[in-house]
Amino acid sequence: MSVTRNTRGFTLIELAVSLVTGVIVVTAGLSFAVALWRTIEGNQLRDDVHRNSRFVAMSLERDFQFTGVGIQSTTSFGTLAVWGDTIVILSVPFDPHEAPPYDLNPAEGTDNPLPLGGTCGSECVDLIAQSGDVELSKGDLARLQVNDERRLILIKSRTGSDDEPQVWFTSHPTILRYAAGMAGGLRLDRYSTFVQRLSLITYYRDGDRLMRAERLKVDGTAEGEVLAFGVQSFEVSVLFRDGDEADEVNIQDTDPTNDFDDVVGVRVRTVLAADHVDPRVRGGELYTQAYEWRFAPRNLMYERDRL
């Protein structure tokens, strides 16, 4: 017995149609995948810049809250200062207790104020601790207060005993634009002079890097670490209680509303850039984004409300 089978296959036209259809489907799939990949890569570039901005904003927000802790601003000496691309934040450290003020320990006598210079040299003061030891060491920033006059000093060495040391400081007439040492003929008061350690936080731009420092070198420059790269601009301005805004505090003019004790906040404007150029983003131009933040340190707000 014989069996007849239908052995008819695909025709050439059917094969051609199938191949063309397959190519179209594969091409469309590849095009979609490439477009999706480009979108993901482009979004990653943008996200990196936005993530960088959030990190900078969070760091600034945290540090501004230390402004003026343990030390109130005066007309001529502020716990927050800005100029150009620089921010300076001063406070009294708590670790865990407030850094104590150390009284002057002058030689016996009745002369007051004391002769020009320090008590143990032109850049040296004798100090005494009321209890414990004097906790000041090389590299510390401190305030030298004589009656109502405040100065910054940068400790370069100390000698003598732990509880009655001689503290030597640098000869800079200014530190971070603050009056420093005994420049200008400042004379120490036998009964109303003390030294107190301060905490420092400063931000500044170095090329395309935003730097953050908590200490100064002996030459008075900041000893900073990189906080962010790709910083094309970093501009700061100061906000006053009456609503005015300026590039910096001016204590030399006759306007009583733009002094350090009138400061209530800071505005920061920055432009951040991606770390590389991507042809899929902005037609191959470097991706940049501008940001603006306003910060109102709570201690400055408290001072404003108190007044």
Side-chain angles (χ1 to χ4, degrees), residues 165-176:
Q166 294 180 334
V167 175
W168 298 79
F169 50 89
T170 61
S171 59
H172 306 303
T174 60
I175 296 175
L176 298 171

Side-chain angles (χ1 to χ4, degrees), residues 137-153:
S137 57
K138 179 179 179 181
D140 283 345
L141 185 68
R143 67 160 161 163
L144 169 67
Q145 180 136 348
V146 183
N147 295 313
D148 294 330
E149 179 71 19
R150 291 177 179 176
R151 301 291 180 89
L152 290 183
I153 58 174

Side-chain angles (χ1 to χ4, degrees), residues 113-118 122 125 144-153 169 179-189 192-194:
L114 299 176
L116 288 175
S122 59
V125 288
L144 169 67
Q145 180 136 348
V146 183
N147 295 313
D148 294 330
E149 179 71 19
R150 291 177 179 176
R151 301 291 180 89
L152 290 183
I153 58 174
F169 50 89
M182 286 172 277
L186 178 68
R187 298 176 65 179
L188 301 179
D189 187 286
S192 301
T193 297
F194 68 84

Side-chain angles (χ1 to χ4, degrees), residues 205-222:
R205 184 179 168 217
D206 180 14
D208 70 342
R209 306 181 302 172
L210 180 61
M211 310 294 291
R212 179 183 180 276
E214 296 184 5
R215 292 183 67 84
L216 299 177
K217 301 176 184 177
V218 176
D219 63 3
T221 60

Side-chain angles (χ1 to χ4, degrees), residues 89-166:
I89 299 168
L90 297 177
S91 62
V92 174
F94 283 73
D95 49 2
H97 304 293
E98 178 180 2
Y102 301 112
D103 291 332
L104 196 67
N105 188 23
E108 294 294 333
T110 58
D111 53 325
N112 197 51
L114 299 176
L116 288 175
T119 57
C120 46
S122 59
E123 298 153 13
C124 177
V125 288
D126 289 276
L127 299 178
I128 184 170
Q130 298 300 321
S131 61
D133 298 330
V134 173
E135 297 179 355
L136 290 171
S137 57
K138 179 179 179 181
D140 283 345
L141 185 68
R143 67 160 161 163
L144 169 67
Q145 180 136 348
V146 183
N147 295 313
D148 294 330
E149 179 71 19
R150 291 177 179 176
R151 301 291 180 89
L152 290 183
I153 58 174
L154 181 58
I155 311 301
K156 63 180 181 181
S157 65
R158 57 177 287 171
T159 56
S161 63
D162 291 337
D163 59 338
E164 296 185 13
Q166 294 180 334

